[in-house]
Amino acid sequence: MIVVMKPGATKQQVQHVIDLVREYGLKDHVIHGTDRTVVACIGDKRMVDKGAIENAPMVERIVPILAPYKMASTEVKRTRTEVAIGPKQFPIGGRRVGVVAGPCAVESREQLLRTADAVAAAGAVGLRGGAYKPRTSPYSFQGLREEGLKILREARERTGLAIVTEAIGLEEIAPVAEAADVVQIGARNMQHYPLLEAAGGCGKPVLLKRGPSAKLEEWLLAAEYVINAGNTQVILCERGIRTFEEYVRFTLPLSAVPELRERTHLPVLVDPSHGTGHAHLVPAMCRAAIAAGADGLLLEVHPDPEHALSDGAQSLTPAALTEMMSTLKRIANAVGREM
Ligand code: PEP
Ligand code: MN
């Protein structure tokens, strides 16, 4: 449930409500809006005397939260969450549309720095690249691991881009959170609940990809795990789902973007690279994603896609990224955004 305070409630009056809520064994999350403060109360409400809370000074009303995900829902927080990423604190979820681009995997210092320079020049705000790679086959390239993280740090120092990289397991959370600006939780791990909780305590923004077979509600409940563990800095990323269709690697359901904007205040990125599996389909899906209201894009870019160690077929060249950016800007402007 949400306790809505009247406009002008003092800090002490809000604290009094928090104390009452805690007495009933509920967890409190205070959200300061532009004109009023609300206290979201999470936990078992059966033993709560709602009347007592309702009668507390400067309480306006109590409303139930109907969505199963609570803190992630627009019922609790109507204003959109902006997640500031990287050395330049670029706000994902605001008026500006942010592009995070880079190779599927960090393959070498030369490959990453070359890509980083190119994506920075193209106007990206973040650099992606897996140091730890979750691969379908155990015989595929698994990533440079710690060495990859070192190279990513160097790329940030050189370009000022925000570093986005995946933690594939519990052991990787700490090193990734230390090296990166955003900790990515991959599609395969969307329902790895202990990992979500660890991400909730990592102290860095979290990029949560949608599981290829997860419903929106399951995805938002996964986000709820991260928020509930203490981290409100969550960015969602639609990366396509598994269907019967075979001309694409995954099917990219762009209707998720407007639906998510209704259900959650969290920013939403779209990843048309994994979402199609084919570089030639990526630019059109980028245009469509921005038109649909996405807060940004997560893109695979490789200086030599033909020789990439992973996901070359879906990787844009730096030239293709640069070429696409001016059109994307125009689409962003047409839907009231900036790029
Ligand atoms: C990735 O973005 O590096 C990745 C592995 O994607 P996903 O988890 O969506 O498959
Ligand atoms: Mn990839």
Side-chain angles (χ1 to χ4, degrees):
M1 65 189 191
I2 306 163
V3 182
V4 183
M5 304 299 296
K6 288 181 185 161
T10 64
K11 243 185 178 168
Q12 289 76 13
Q13 286 161 334
V14 175
Q15 189 57 48
H16 178 63
V17 169
I18 293 172
D19 293 342
L20 278 176
V21 164
R22 288 185 185 166
E23 265 176 47
Y24 291 119
L26 301 181
K27 216 169 145 178
D28 59 279
H29 293 267
V30 182
I31 298 154
H32 299 283
T34 40
D35 63 333
R36 62 185 78 210
T37 298
V38 305
V39 183
C41 315
I42 312 292
D44 187 350
K45 269 140 263 164
R46 282 171 300 187
M47 305 299 285
V48 176
D49 178 357
K50 282 197 192 129
I53 299 176
E54 219 149 24
N55 284 332
M58 291 300 271
V59 167
E60 184 172 285
R61 66 199 138 97
I62 293 182
V63 278
I65 309 169
L66 301 175
Y69 40 88
K70 310 284 176 200
M71 299 305 298
S73 93
T74 41
E75 291 175 50
V76 164
K77 184 170 177 276
R78 282 177 215 287
T79 56
R80 304 211 60 79
T81 291
E82 289 185 20
V83 180
I85 63 167
K88 296 180 183 157
Q89 292 286 283
F90 182 90
I92 300 282
R95 222 178 109 77
R96 285 156 79 193
V97 173
V99 171
V100 176
C104 180
V106 181
E107 298 170 3
S108 69
R109 181 171 176 271
E110 199 267 329
Q111 170 249 18
L112 190 81
L113 297 185
R114 223 174 116 192
T115 315
D117 289 347
V119 305
V125 300
L127 176 70
R128 61 147 294 142
Y132 303 91
K133 289 308 299 178
R135 301 306 301 278
T136 304
S137 164
Y139 308 118
S140 300
F141 175 58
Q142 302 285 313
L144 296 181
R145 308 180 67 83
E146 290 77 12
E147 181 57 26
L149 293 181
K150 252 197 228 158
I151 299 171
L152 285 165
R153 278 178 191 266
E154 187 181 345
R156 174 182 37 217
E157 269 162 40
R158 184 182 163 105
T159 60
L161 292 168
I163 301 300
V164 181
T165 193
E166 180 171 350
I168 53 171
L170 286 167
E171 280 178 12
E172 285 78 30
I173 287 281
V176 166
E178 222 214 291
D181 298 298
V182 179
V183 176
Q184 179 171 327
I185 301 296
R188 292 158 187 79
N189 273 320
M190 192 211 80
Q191 283 176 309
H192 183 334
Y193 300 116
L195 187 64
L196 296 173
E197 283 172 344
C202 80
K204 287 281 169 75
V206 171
L207 179 83
L208 179 61
K209 297 195 98 179
R210 179 190 191 164
S213 64
K215 297 180 185 182
L216 283 200
E217 185 168 306
E218 292 164 330
W219 185 13
L220 288 168
L221 282 165
E224 191 78 10
Y225 266 93
V226 180
I227 300 174
N228 206 35
N231 192 348
T232 56
Q233 303 293 287
V234 180
I235 302 166
L236 300 169
C237 180
E238 172 59 78
R239 47 79 73 211
I241 53 173
R242 178 60 59 80
T243 71
F244 54 81
E245 191 51 85
E246 287 178 333
Y247 77 98
V248 278
R249 182 178 177 194
F250 292 96
T251 295
L252 186 63
L254 288 178
S255 54
V257 175
E259 181 67 22
L260 285 168
R261 287 184 76 88
E262 277 183 25
R263 294 189 188 204
T264 182
H265 51 84
L266 298 174
V268 183
L269 299 191
V270 171
D271 170 358
S273 306
H274 292 89
T276 63
H278 303 285
H280 71 97
L281 297 175
V282 169
M285 289 298 96
C286 290
R287 299 196 291 270
I290 293 173
D295 294 300
L297 301 165
L298 185 72
L299 294 173
E300 288 190 341
V301 174
H302 196 287
D304 182 9
E306 286 180 2
H307 297 99
L309 296 183
S310 65
D311 287 352
Q314 66 193 34
S315 297
L316 296 174
T317 59
L321 173 71
T322 307
E323 194 193 319
M324 163 173 96
M325 288 295 266
S326 59
T327 310
L328 297 186
K329 266 183 203 150
R330 279 186 281 141
I331 292 177
N333 294 341
V335 294
R337 309 287 288 269
E338 274 161 33
M339 235 180 119

